[in-house]
Amino acid sequence: MDRESNLNRAETFSFVNPWIRYFLFFFSFLFWVFSLLIAGIGVYAKVQKATDTVRDTFLIDPAVILIVVGVVMFFITFCGCIGALRENIRLLKTFSFTLTLVFLIQLVVAVLGFFYSDQTQDALGKFVKKAIVHYRDDLDLQNLMDYVQKEFKCCGWNNYTDWSWNLYFNCTRENPSSERCAVPYSCCTPVPGETVINTMCGFGVQTQTFLDANKSIYPVGCADRAVMWMETHLLLVGALSLGLALPQIAGIVLSQILISQIQNEIAPPF
Ligand SMILES: *[C@@H]1O[C@H](CO)[C@@H](O)[C@H](O)[C@H]1NC(C)=O
Ligand SMILES: *[C@@H]1O[C@H](CO)[C@@H](O)[C@H](O)[C@H]1NC(C)=O
């Protein structure tokens, strides 16, 4: 081969596959925008609740979790985005390494959560207990509990008598609240054909037996319901986990391929 054609070849031939490069770029860019959104929602929630003291009762503020997840994701996807665009090996290696780290942490948490499912349930139960205690003090918690109870057709954590944890619904004789022994409306079973919503349907049910309460509310606790839901939606749970894991694995594999291609470009293997 003469010198000229050799030079031409060097100009047009590249070890770096543009499809992989641009796919990694767009893919990281998408999640980069998404990370800004997550962090933004976290900051918004934090600012809105700045004066709220109820949040202090929780060990970890959910808004802070959003901010941390958003910032970490921002950093990682930024490395992937700019690394792919500029073919920067250092950024791509940082992307690959941190993504692998995050993936492994998630894997460990998932495996621990599976093997220590009793402890996981205890932790969830403690969270729900706090949500029940502060049901009337925090609109977010109230909406969350109402949503869970309506969606899962359940009441309380163990059963409907858990609502005694709340000052307003506490069923001791001395409680002066007008809602003594009641449960929130979100526990109520819809009455077919009823046009006017009976918001009082949960009143006094804590004094009733399970079978009597069953006539007006969902008496089963949300813990049992959640387990039942998991068992009947195993496929969905698996698909969701895969949906979380696949983009990460794809990012790790693609960035590794790109790194080796760029390295070949710098120092060809022949
Ligand atoms: C509700 O749950 C508590 C705690 O598990 C239990 O002690 C109580 O007997 C249950 N009440 C009914 C009516 O099932
Ligand atoms: C209900 O209130 C009484 C009196 O304040 C308290 O002793 C009791 O523990 C409360 N019940 C529950 C289930 O927390």
Side-chain angles (χ1 to χ4, degrees), residues 129 133 161-167 169-175 206:
K129 182 168 183 176
V133 169
T161 60
D162 286 350
W163 279 99
S164 268
W165 290 333
N166 185 287
L167 202 65
F169 301 112
N170 184 308
C171 205
T172 44
R173 198 178 292 276
E174 299 79 33
N175 188 0
Q206 283 192 60

Side-chain angles (χ1 to χ4, degrees), residues 158-162 208-210:
N158 304 300
N159 56 47
Y160 59 104
T161 60
D162 286 350
Q208 296 172 2
T209 62
F210 189 91

Side-chain angles (χ1 to χ4, degrees), residues 177-228:
S177 164
S178 65
E179 290 176 298
R180 188 178 80 89
C181 296
V183 295
Y185 173 66
S186 51
C187 287
C188 294
T189 46
V191 180
E194 189 188 55
T195 44
V196 181
I197 294 169
N198 177 15
T199 48
M200 311 266 277
C201 77
F203 277 55
V205 290
Q206 283 192 60
T207 57
Q208 296 172 2
T209 62
F210 189 91
L211 281 178
D212 279 334
N214 195 19
K215 287 172 191 150
S216 50
I217 63 159
Y218 308 115
V220 179
C222 294
D224 289 345
R225 279 284 179 213
V227 171
M228 279 186 233

Side-chain angles (χ1 to χ4, degrees), residues 12-243:
T12 52
F13 179 80
S14 171
F15 282 99
V16 177
N17 184 330
W19 287 101
I20 291 182
R21 187 175 155 222
Y22 283 112
F23 186 74
L24 193 61
F25 168 74
F26 277 118
F27 181 75
S28 308
F29 183 73
L30 213 71
F31 282 93
W32 186 63
V33 173
F34 193 52
S35 73
L36 282 178
L37 209 72
I38 294 177
I41 293 172
V43 170
Y44 176 76
K46 187 82 197 151
V47 169
Q48 258 217 335
K49 291 275 170 180
T51 51
D52 202 333
T53 48
V54 171
R55 296 273 141 173
D56 300 339
T57 53
F58 288 98
L59 204 60
I60 311 167
D61 186 342
V64 172
I65 296 178
L66 281 182
I67 295 173
V68 169
V69 168
V71 167
V72 169
M73 216 170 127
F74 178 88
F75 168 74
I76 295 177
T77 50
F78 177 82
C79 289
C81 203
I82 305 300
L85 194 67
R86 305 293 314 260
E87 297 187 13
N88 184 314
I89 288 188
R90 194 173 289 171
L91 281 180
L92 284 173
K93 277 188 173 165
T94 310
F95 173 74
S96 183
F97 176 76
T98 45
L99 202 56
T100 307
L101 203 68
V102 166
F103 180 70
L104 288 180
I105 290 172
Q106 284 172 0
L107 205 64
V108 167
V109 169
V111 168
L112 286 182
F114 183 78
F115 282 107
Y116 292 89
S117 53
D118 284 351
Q119 281 87 339
T120 310
Q121 258 207 22
D122 280 355
L124 258 176
K126 276 188 190 137
F127 177 83
V128 171
K129 182 168 183 176
K130 277 189 173 161
I132 288 177
V133 169
H134 295 288
Y135 180 77
R136 285 269 190 256
D137 321 330
D138 188 318
L139 201 59
D140 286 346
L141 288 179
Q142 187 171 333
N143 288 335
L144 179 73
M145 279 310 293
D146 285 345
Y147 178 81
V148 168
Q149 293 194 136
K150 269 188 200 147
E151 279 305 303
F152 289 90
K153 300 185 175 9
C154 56
C155 193
W157 179 247
N158 304 300
N159 56 47
Y160 59 104
T161 60
D162 286 350
W163 279 99
S164 268
W165 290 333
N166 185 287
L167 202 65
Y168 297 87
F169 301 112
N170 184 308
C171 205
T172 44
R173 198 178 292 276
E174 299 79 33
N175 188 0
S177 164
S178 65
E179 290 176 298
R180 188 178 80 89
C181 296
V183 295
Y185 173 66
S186 51
C187 287
C188 294
T189 46
V191 180
E194 189 188 55
T195 44
V196 181
I197 294 169
N198 177 15
T199 48
M200 311 266 277
C201 77
F203 277 55
V205 290
Q206 283 192 60
T207 57
Q208 296 172 2
T209 62
F210 189 91
L211 281 178
D212 279 334
N214 195 19
K215 287 172 191 150
S216 50
I217 63 159
Y218 308 115
V220 179
C222 294
D224 289 345
R225 279 284 179 213
V227 171
M228 279 186 233
W229 188 90
M230 289 276 256
E231 280 165 3
T232 52
H233 293 81
L234 266 184
L235 211 64
L236 181 69
V237 174
L240 279 178
S241 318
L242 212 63

